[in-house]
Amino acid sequence: MNRRHLIAAAGVAMLASLTAPAFADSLDTIKANKKIRVAIDLGSPPFGMNDSAMQPTGSDVETAKALAADLGYALEIVQVTSPNRVPFLLTGKADMVMASFSINEERKKVIDFSDPYGVIQVVVAAPKNVAITDLKDVVGKRLGTTRGSTNDKEATAQAQGAEMVRYDDDATLITALISGQVNIMASSPQVMAAVNARRPNDPYEVKLVLKTNPYAAGFRKGDDALRKVVNDWIQANLANGKLSKIYETYNGVPLPAEMPK
């Protein structure tokens, strides 16, 4: 195990040692304050970003707004990055996380998840003139990704022999891809679309699909009352089409007819 993996393992162990009993039941606190604090990554378009007026927008932002409005609470957006989503939740800086938060077994050891409300693929993408047909083609090449994300984890595991170049958020990764600091990405089709919108003459294309992940809201362990309220809301709004409409508006495609678990 190399030094980076040792540090990552130590980080997971540290997070696992943090527990929720220091906090009151989140739903009771939300009801008392008439406000729900949702952690969202605003450097992760199209899920979270700032518009031309520097106001938060994106599919996670609009989903959180709809949730808060339907439950009758004010929404406070707590801005996070991919690496600090779990720490902000566990240390009580937010009541829940909605930040293209892919469900995986490692995170389940530390936090609980809602039912999925969206999906995200992990892809390897590059311009047309970069020949990639399988993972052997990225050995020795630089792959840009977002530090601490599921994309990072999946690409690191599968694209062994590649040089992973990690950026602190999707916005910085997008800038690096547009400017040519790296020309192969291990991220999502949504990030690729954001890149292509700013370099239409030499767009990226998907070369390989590494994994398709459902994503969900994250909660502290034991926050079952809040999780049930959010799950009921998710199921109702998947059924009535509201969540699919929000997703399609920002991602360009509808949600699957049946959400993966």
Side-chain angles (χ1 to χ4, degrees):
M1 183 179 287
N2 63 29
R3 183 172 181 272
R4 183 182 294 119
H5 289 154
L6 285 169
I7 292 171
V12 170
M14 180 195 73
L15 292 176
S17 70
L18 296 174
T19 54
F23 304 103
D25 179 87
S26 293
L27 186 57
D28 287 344
T29 302
I30 290 164
K31 288 178 179 178
N33 294 334
K34 296 182 171 57
K35 176 177 70 175
I36 185 166
R37 301 171 302 156
V38 181
I40 302 176
D41 184 354
L42 297 180
S44 181
F47 308 103
M49 53 197 169
N50 288 307
D51 62 18
S52 58
M54 296 306 294
Q55 295 301 307
T57 188
S59 58
D60 276 330
V61 173
E62 298 309 316
T63 299
K65 286 180 179 177
L67 170 67
D70 287 349
L71 296 182
Y73 305 126
L75 172 66
E76 179 183 331
I77 293 176
V78 179
Q79 189 169 348
V80 292
T81 61
S82 183
N84 67 22
R85 291 174 294 186
V86 172
F88 266 52
L89 179 65
L90 294 184
T91 55
K93 293 183 174 69
D95 301 312
M96 57 184 287
V97 177
M98 300 183 86
S100 54
F101 210 6
S102 297
I103 302 167
N104 65 41
E105 294 304 314
E106 185 176 352
R107 288 173 180 156
K108 281 182 174 181
K109 296 174 184 176
V110 183
I111 65 170
D112 286 333
F113 284 100
S114 70
D115 294 335
Y117 66 91
V119 296
I120 185 169
Q121 287 183 317
V122 181
V123 303
V124 173
K128 186 176 181 178
N129 64 355
V130 179
I132 298 173
T133 58
D134 60 40
L135 288 170
K136 294 177 184 176
D137 295 327
V138 300
V139 173
K141 295 181 179 176
R142 301 171 79 236
L143 264 64
T145 193
T146 302
R147 188 188 317 278
S149 65
T150 303
N151 304 318
D152 181 1
K153 180 182 176 183
E154 201 64 40
T156 300
Q158 292 198 42
Q160 295 185 17
E163 179 188 347
M164 302 304 300
V165 183
R166 296 176 173 87
Y167 297 90
D168 285 338
D169 54 40
D170 285 348
T172 310
L173 170 62
I174 289 166
T175 299
L177 292 163
I178 293 166
S179 65
Q181 295 176 43
V182 290
N183 71 341
I184 305 173
M185 57 168 264
S187 189
S188 69
Q190 291 87 351
V191 166
M192 184 184 75
V195 172
N196 288 347
R198 294 167 61 183
R199 50 175 290 162
N201 296 328
D202 187 21
Y204 280 66
E205 61 183 22
V206 174
K207 305 290 187 177
L208 305 169
V209 176
L210 301 182
K211 194 173 184 181
T212 298
N213 291 311
Y215 62 82
F219 305 89
R220 287 185 288 275
K221 288 284 187 183
D223 248 342
D224 297 331
L226 177 58
R227 186 160 65 99
K228 183 182 185 307
V229 167
V230 174
N231 275 342
D232 289 346
W233 182 85
I234 288 171
Q235 292 307 318
N237 287 279
L238 286 173
N240 66 25
K242 181 187 284 187
L243 282 170
S244 187
K245 183 176 180 181
I246 292 172
Y247 184 89
E248 185 169 6
T249 297
Y250 290 92
N251 292 270
V253 294
L255 285 172
E258 289 191 23
M259 292 290 289
K261 296 297 183 182

